[in-house]
Amino acid sequence: MRRPAFYSRSPRTPLDDAADAGTPQRPDDSADGASASAAAPAAKARWQPGRRSFALLLALSIGSAATSVALWPRQNIRQYTQKDIDAAVLRTLHTATLPSPAAKAAEIIRPSVVRVVGYGPEKKTPEAQTQKHGRNLAKGKPAEAQADEPPGEVERGVGTGVVIVDKGIILTNLHVVAGSEKIRVTFADGLEAPAVITGVQPENDLAVLQAQKLPDDLIPAVMRSTADLQPGDQVAAVGFPFGIGPSVSAGVVSGLKRSFRSPEGKQELGNLIQFDAAANPGNSGGPLINMNGEVLGIVTAILNPTQQRTFIGIGFAVPIENAASAAGSPPF
């Protein structure tokens, strides 16, 4: 088999082409051609790659690329040790501001906390009538027209509630809604809806509400057993103290199985969780939570030996086991 040439032949002169074609040459042309051939410089040979040259070049290219790929990770990627990882974590802890446990817990429970307001007829005391008369006169209503006006509705109680079932079942304190003709709840997204009482547990000052209108993405709270709760455990109270909120206050469990008698002495509550997270009027019915955002109890009372209804460091909550049983669904 004939092997292909690695190099092409040198360029041919016109005389060579004529000789190959068998064309006769005249004598005078032969002398002129010979002198022209002698005078013309020899043409340089041109290199053209053959198949073996191309294969060799391709092999060299592939080998060089493979070597670069094999060596690249070792040259550009650093191999991190456990010491490097620990140092990076410590640097992050020292430089980054992380949310507190109470802040994370409050964010978890926030979508489940509602504001509860009870409405009732306006009281017909002389002071109230005088104030109403003054307001109507300021609006331009004559005294004769005021006599026929029906009694207005006023807020009878403002407190807090917590959603425990996504169907709109809410736990709160009985004293927040007792005597109210109408009840309205405001959800975390701002939706305001009427609610009705579906169950009560007077011995634990608890009431169960059913909201008549629900947000599209209502999230119920997670309840946690108090069986392993101990004094010193961190807790937070979430609610609407004096109608402001939702507000968060953090503290610890101060004691268990406490008793509390109302200032009027009409009722005594037992098996309560004592805590020192700040709570005031308006926190009633709100959740007492752990640092995982789970409900441990329902805030129900504060102790103050004076006539002032303000917090001095002792609050009480009904354990969630009792509260859930008021809703007819004990979770533990």
Side-chain angles (χ1 to χ4, degrees):
M1 179 177 180
R2 184 177 178 182
R3 299 173 60 184
F6 285 103
Y7 299 94
S8 64
R9 298 178 59 185
S10 300
R12 296 160 58 99
T13 63
L15 294 178
D16 295 334
D17 294 336
D20 292 341
T23 305
Q25 299 182 9
R26 291 179 300 175
D28 53 346
D29 292 339
S30 177
D32 294 339
S35 61
S37 298
K44 294 183 180 179
R46 292 182 301 172
W47 176 81
Q48 295 182 357
R51 295 182 180 178
R52 290 191 176 183
S53 299
F54 181 77
L56 180 60
L57 182 60
L58 180 62
L60 290 174
S61 300
I62 295 175
S64 177
T67 303
S68 300
V69 171
L71 295 178
W72 181 80
R74 298 180 182 179
Q75 295 173 352
N76 296 279
I77 295 182
R78 178 183 175 185
Q79 299 298 322
Y80 289 98
T81 64
Q82 186 62 43
K83 184 177 180 180
D84 296 329
I85 297 174
D86 294 341
V89 171
L90 289 175
R91 185 165 54 254
T92 301
L93 292 176
H94 288 141
T95 58
T97 302
L98 301 178
S100 68
K104 292 188 290 186
E107 184 63 23
I108 294 172
I109 195 65
R110 183 190 59 80
S112 307
V113 178
V114 300
R115 187 174 187 263
V116 180
V117 180
Y119 295 90
E122 187 175 5
K123 295 181 180 180
K124 295 183 178 181
T125 61
E127 295 80 4
Q129 290 295 325
T130 301
Q131 292 176 0
K132 181 178 179 181
H133 179 70
R135 291 194 300 268
N136 287 334
L137 287 178
K139 295 178 181 178
K141 293 183 179 180
E144 296 78 7
Q146 297 182 32
D148 298 330
E149 285 186 355
E153 290 185 346
V154 296
E155 292 184 359
R156 298 289 300 273
V158 179
T160 309
V162 58
V163 179
I164 60 170
V165 180
D166 59 3
K167 295 180 180 180
I169 298 178
I170 300 168
L171 280 177
T172 188
N173 278 150
L174 179 58
H175 74 260
V176 172
V177 296
S180 299
E181 293 184 352
K182 293 183 180 179
I183 302 170
R184 299 191 71 84
V185 296
T186 305
F187 293 94
D189 65 350
L191 175 67
E192 187 175 342
V196 295
I197 300 175
T198 58
V200 296
Q201 197 177 75
E203 63 274 19
N204 287 314
D205 189 25
L206 292 170
V208 183
L209 307 180
Q210 174 65 64
Q212 302 298 295
K213 188 177 180 182
L214 305 179
D216 294 333
D217 53 351
L218 185 58
I219 301 175
V222 176
M223 296 177 283
R224 171 65 183 268
S225 171
T226 62
D228 57 351
L229 194 63
Q230 297 180 359
D233 286 345
Q234 290 183 307
V235 291
V238 183
F240 293 84
F242 302 106
I244 302 172
S247 301
V248 182
S249 59
V252 298
V253 173
S254 303
L256 301 170
K257 300 186 183 300
R258 299 291 199 245
S259 297
F260 171 78
R261 183 178 292 275
S262 63
E264 299 81 8
K266 297 180 180 179
Q267 184 178 13
E268 181 174 357
L269 304 176
N271 189 34
L272 300 175
I273 303 170
Q274 179 187 338
F275 61 90
D276 69 351
N280 284 286
N283 276 108
S284 296
L288 183 73
I289 61 175
N290 60 15
M291 294 301 98
N292 293 323
E294 300 165 329
V295 181
L296 300 170
I298 301 298
V299 177
T300 191
I302 56 176
L303 178 62
N304 191 330
T306 71
Q307 297 299 320
Q308 302 296 323
R309 297 176 62 236
T310 54
F311 184 73
I312 61 171
I314 300 178
F316 298 103
V318 178
I320 194 60
E321 289 88 344
N322 296 20
S325 66
S329 57
F332 315 111

